[in-house]
Amino acid sequence: MPKGYVAINVERCKGCGFCVEFCPTHVLAMSSAFNSKGYHPPHVVNPEKCTGCDLCGMYCPDFAIYGWKAPESKNGAKSDAAR
Amino acid sequence: MTSQARDPAELGPRPEAEVPAESCDYQPENPVEQFLRTDRMPHIWCPGCGIGTTVNSFARALLEAKLDLDRVAVVSGIGCTGRVAGYVRLDSFHTTHGRAIPFATGLKLANPNLTVVVYSGDGDLFAIGGNHIIHAARRNLDLKVICVNNFVYGMTGGQLAPTTPVGALTTTTPYGCYEPAFNLPALMDAAGAVYVARWTSFHVRQLTRAMVDIFRKKGFCFIEVLTPCPSLFQRKNRMGEGLDAMKYYKEKSKVRHGAPTSEVGLTIDGDIIVGKFVDRERPEFLDLLRSQLAAQLGDRYVEVEHLVCS
Ligand SMILES: Cc1ncc(C[n+]2csc(CCOP(=O)(O)OP(=O)(O)O)c2C)c(N)n1
Ligand code: SF4
Ligand code: SF4
Ligand code: SF4
């Protein structure tokens, strides 16, 4: 199970590459795909490496990506309550 | 928003749904989302512009400092950075060019319970607005100033600003800038600011912490944030894209907390000294005003809770 997750709002992205460059665990790569404005959004290539640190979210000037930590229950497993 | 519920109709439509991540049913909202006027997204800032990145730090700092959002006001002047006032879902004022500080001064004096944040560009605050900002710092008025410095006038096409480094090409200095630039931290220090820091849009966590610091500190606080302007400053100077500027900041920045502000001036290719340079105490303007009146007028002076009589 990954420690965290990342979500991308492709239509808001302007393809600057900040998130790809500064993700500490190299979860992301620029995609060859276009969004409707013609920008290349990032693509999640290594989801298992995501820690949910949200650095991508702090860097993104277009508010188009963010990460979050996987919820944990007391015994360390993923919690259903938080879903 | 926080616990004080606002009328949802007043706030406009809720943010659009995000693309869900693979195999996770629990998905919180992007922390910045609640601070955005999402009906105005996408914003006008260019791809790779650093202004939006500073807004992420601002949003996280507001959350961390646990401010009552109904008592936070954002005041901007005119410019690309000035658009921040129009994009944040807070009480905000997009004033005239150079007049963010006078407007914020009136707001703070009329309602001292507000946290008044001035969010504006280097040209707005230090060219046309230069006189206002030095006097607000001298008076130690309780304002939180976030100055986004991209070294030019962005909105009007990349003209020379008082922060343009010597040698830089701008629309109005086609043979290179020859005017010495302001060293903003030194200017603010000399004028009397109680908190002075500089970060860049690469330093997202440090910037967030600095913003939390100034939300908690009383008096005139100043943060300079260097940001990429790929469309104008960098294009003219062949400095690449926004990402190249971010990598450059990463490489060239040296953290020196407490550095004498006289030593932190910027040059076109030199080191960028970042950190918290000034953190001191001085009597705040409103306190000075109240104690002077109390001392001079004695029991002929009274302080009431509500400044506006109804
Ligand atoms: C009184 C007045 N003079 C000039 C202008 C034109 N003007 C608009 S924005 C601006 C400069 C903006 O530069 P800065 O504050 O550095 O903001 P940036 O766009 O770089 O974020 C100028 C000169 C104006 N709007 N009003
Ligand atoms: S949350 Fe952190 S680890 Fe995950 S993609 Fe974003 S920056 Fe990378
Ligand atoms: S930082 Fe934001 S705008 Fe830039 S490429 Fe990543 S998602 Fe797109
Ligand atoms: S002109 Fe420069 S400062 Fe203005 S939005 Fe574009 S990149 Fe940003």
Side-chain angles (χ1 to χ4, degrees):
Chain A
M1 273 310 219
K3 288 192 212 139
Y5 297 92
V6 54
I8 303 163
N9 184 336
V10 224
E11 284 307 319
R12 269 198 198 166
C13 172
K14 293 184 190 151
C16 69
F18 291 5
C19 56
V20 174
E21 176 72 21
F22 298 120
C23 167
T25 51
H26 308 290
V27 171
L28 307 163
M30 291 317 282
S31 167
S32 59
F34 299 98
N35 68 13
S36 64
K37 294 242 170 70
Y39 294 115
H40 295 290
H43 187 72
V44 180
V45 285
N46 292 313
E48 71 294 345
K49 289 191 184 163
C50 181
T51 60
C53 69
D54 192 36
L55 260 182
C56 49
M58 297 208 56
Y59 277 109
C60 177
D62 290 87
F63 320 119
I65 188 169
Y66 68 105
W68 68 95
K69 296 208 182 291
E72 284 192 15
S73 68
K74 275 179 202 136
N75 58 19
K78 265 180 84 184
S79 138
D80 286 332
R83 292 183 180 185
Chain B
M1 285 290 145
T2 52
S3 49
Q4 332 85 46
R6 296 191 192 177
D7 177 6
E10 205 180 287
L11 298 171
R14 292 306 304 165
E16 63 217 74
E18 299 283 339
V19 175
E22 296 159 37
S23 68
C24 182
D25 320 339
Y26 163 70
Q27 184 177 353
E29 200 182 49
N30 186 339
V32 74
E33 206 70 30
Q34 61 177 305
F35 297 101
L36 298 177
R37 296 181 195 238
T38 45
D39 52 322
R40 312 198 69 192
M41 298 293 127
H43 55 56
I44 60 153
W45 296 317
C46 308
C49 172
I51 299 172
T53 301
T54 71
V55 174
N56 289 319
S57 290
F58 182 59
R60 279 140 181 100
L62 284 171
L63 287 173
E64 199 178 323
K66 299 194 172 60
L67 294 183
D68 174 354
L69 298 177
D70 285 336
R71 290 189 186 277
V72 177
V74 177
V75 182
S76 295
I78 303 295
C80 298
T81 311
R83 304 297 294 223
V84 169
Y87 291 139
V88 291
R89 199 189 256 201
L90 294 164
D91 288 334
S92 58
F93 303 89
H94 197 182
T95 70
T96 49
H97 191 32
R99 308 298 176 238
I101 298 271
F103 192 95
T105 301
L107 200 57
K108 181 70 193 180
L109 297 186
N111 191 348
N113 294 326
L114 292 179
T115 299
V116 180
V117 180
V118 175
Y119 213 127
S120 214
D122 50 300
D124 185 77
L125 289 170
F126 287 94
I128 187 169
N131 204 24
H132 301 300
I133 199 166
I134 56 177
H135 290 289
R138 171 181 65 79
R139 291 165 163 163
N140 196 24
L141 202 72
D142 188 18
L143 300 180
K144 326 293 175 197
V145 182
I146 298 162
C147 173
V148 173
N149 181 3
N150 51 20
F151 307 104
V152 283
Y153 291 176
M155 177 147 279
T156 44
Q159 295 85 353
L160 174 99
T163 47
T164 306
V166 168
L169 302 179
T170 70
T171 323
T172 44
T173 55
Y175 303 108
C177 169
Y178 47 87
E179 293 183 20
F182 269 149
N183 168 351
L184 301 184
L187 182 61
M188 291 292 87
D189 181 10
V194 291
Y195 183 104
V196 180
R198 175 195 285 143
W199 295 104
T200 78
S201 48
F202 167 71
H203 299 90
V204 285
R205 295 221 194 276
Q206 295 92 327
L207 178 60
T208 305
R209 225 169 296 137
M211 288 176 175
V212 173
D213 280 355
I214 66 172
F215 292 154
R216 291 183 175 153
K217 192 168 174 84
K218 192 166 165 176
F220 188 93
C221 298
F222 179 79
I223 303 174
E224 177 185 19
V225 197
L226 310 185
T227 60
C229 171
S231 304
L232 298 165
F233 183 71
Q234 282 157 255
R235 189 168 58 84
K236 276 270 177 209
N237 291 286
R238 299 183 193 282
M239 289 173 170
E241 299 295 326
L243 183 57
D244 298 301
M246 295 288 275
K247 291 184 194 164
Y248 182 82
Y249 294 154
K250 182 180 177 184
E251 179 200 324
K252 287 281 191 176
S253 294
K254 305 275 178 295
V255 180
R256 272 181 68 198
H257 293 299
T261 52
S262 59
E263 296 174 11
V264 306
L266 297 168
T267 57
I268 191 151
D269 52 7
D271 283 348
I272 299 169
I273 309 297
V274 295
K276 179 169 81 175
F277 306 133
V278 175
D279 191 353
R280 63 185 163 205
E281 303 303 324
R282 282 176 68 220
E284 193 267 333
F285 179 81
L286 265 171
D287 291 342
L288 289 171
L289 176 140
R290 288 175 181 136
S291 56
Q292 180 75 3
L293 292 184
Q296 293 300 312
L297 299 174
D299 49 13
R300 283 180 295 143
Y301 176 67
V302 63
E303 275 169 30
V304 293
E305 205 184 320
H306 299 288
L307 290 186
V308 180
C309 303
S310 49

